[in-house]
Amino acid sequence: VLKEIERQIESGRFSEPGEPTFASAALNYLNFTDPARGDIVYVKRLMEHFRDKPLKEIGQAEIDAAALALYPGSGAATRNRSVYTPCSAVLRRGGIRIELQRPAGSEGKKATAWLWPEQAEALFEEAGKLDKDFAALLIMLCYTGLRLSEALGLTWNDVRLQDGFAYVPDTKNSEPRAVFLPPVAVAALANVGRDDRSGHRVFRFAKSGHLYSLLRVAAIRA
């Protein structure tokens, strides 16, 4: 055992007991992350790849190699979403910040869709016929500008309908922010099937294929 430790020291691979590894940092990240977040499946796959590799040994080259190994036939946007973004989050959780160079084209192709007010109202109406809570989610997204993950992560403790106010503690840029709820959003939330426990999530949905299927059906009918 001593000889092996000596060899690791000489080759620069030695890590002291208790030194943070990717696996330990990833587990810590998962324990303090909303289960509704869409990057959890990516983090688990990265854990299998890096395992107990010390965080201090993971840099640009190692993350580039992981992206190629785990997603060999995927585009830059997929690799960015599946590897670079979750790796950066896990490293930050472990106390390490590095300026990652994202793959060229990682922003993907930006596509903006436009709905006139009457089109949005038609979408909300058809969504309500499928599921009134789903319609409330669409109204919330439309009138507040919340990201899907932010809306799905809201708990009743974060919302005060009487004040037309919501608080988002965990945003994409890690900065909490306040959200104004216009009357139409307040009315929609008031009709959501509610669990009065303050820590319970406002919307029972998770980011999934089912959620997008509901949207497609509502859009087609609208």
Side-chain angles (χ1 to χ4, degrees):
V1 172
L2 179 59
K3 288 295 183 183
E4 175 59 24
I5 291 175
E6 289 174 351
R7 283 193 292 270
Q8 290 180 6
I9 292 173
E10 290 170 358
S11 63
R13 295 182 293 109
F14 177 72
S15 51
E16 297 179 23
E19 182 177 351
T21 65
F22 189 91
S24 65
L27 185 60
N28 189 25
Y29 174 78
L30 293 176
N31 285 337
F32 291 92
T33 298
D34 190 322
R37 285 181 64 99
D39 63 350
I40 288 180
V41 63
Y42 305 134
V43 172
K44 290 181 178 178
R45 193 169 183 188
L46 288 166
M47 286 177 69
E48 295 173 358
H49 176 81
F50 286 114
R51 296 183 179 273
D52 291 326
K53 191 175 186 67
L55 286 183
K56 69 178 184 181
E57 295 181 10
I58 299 176
Q60 184 73 51
E62 288 72 24
I63 294 174
D64 288 341
L68 290 173
L70 295 175
Y71 301 92
S74 301
T78 298
R79 288 175 178 169
N80 182 52
R81 180 176 64 253
S82 308
V83 176
Y84 291 86
T85 297
C87 271
S88 178
V90 170
L91 289 172
R92 285 201 307 271
R93 172 63 69 176
I96 294 178
R97 293 179 178 270
I98 61 175
E99 292 295 329
L100 277 179
Q101 297 296 318
R102 308 294 175 119
S106 61
E107 298 84 2
K109 296 181 179 178
K110 295 183 179 180
T112 301
W114 176 270
L115 291 180
W116 293 103
E118 61 271 17
Q119 293 174 320
E121 290 294 338
L123 180 63
F124 300 153
E125 182 178 353
E126 292 300 331
K129 295 176 184 177
L130 297 172
D131 188 313
K132 63 181 180 64
D133 289 0
F134 176 61
L137 174 61
L138 294 187
I139 291 171
M140 187 74 167
L141 294 172
C142 180
Y143 280 89
T144 64
L146 286 172
R147 293 183 175 89
L148 179 58
S149 60
E150 293 172 345
L152 294 178
L154 281 177
T155 69
W156 284 115
N157 191 50
D158 302 322
V159 178
R160 297 194 67 170
L161 295 181
Q162 67 271 28
D163 297 327
F165 177 87
Y167 174 72
V168 183
D170 185 19
T171 64
K172 189 173 183 179
N173 60 8
S174 301
E175 293 293 333
R177 64 187 177 97
V179 177
F180 168 70
L181 302 179
V184 63
V186 171
L189 288 177
N191 292 320
V192 169
R194 180 165 180 169
D195 187 317
D196 287 327
R197 289 174 296 178
S198 62
H200 201 74
R201 289 195 296 126
V202 174
F203 298 105
R204 69 181 192 277
F205 305 103
K207 190 174 182 180
S208 62
H210 172 65
L211 193 63
Y212 288 102
S213 294
L214 286 175
L215 180 60
R216 280 193 294 272
V217 173
I220 290 170
R221 292 181 180 179

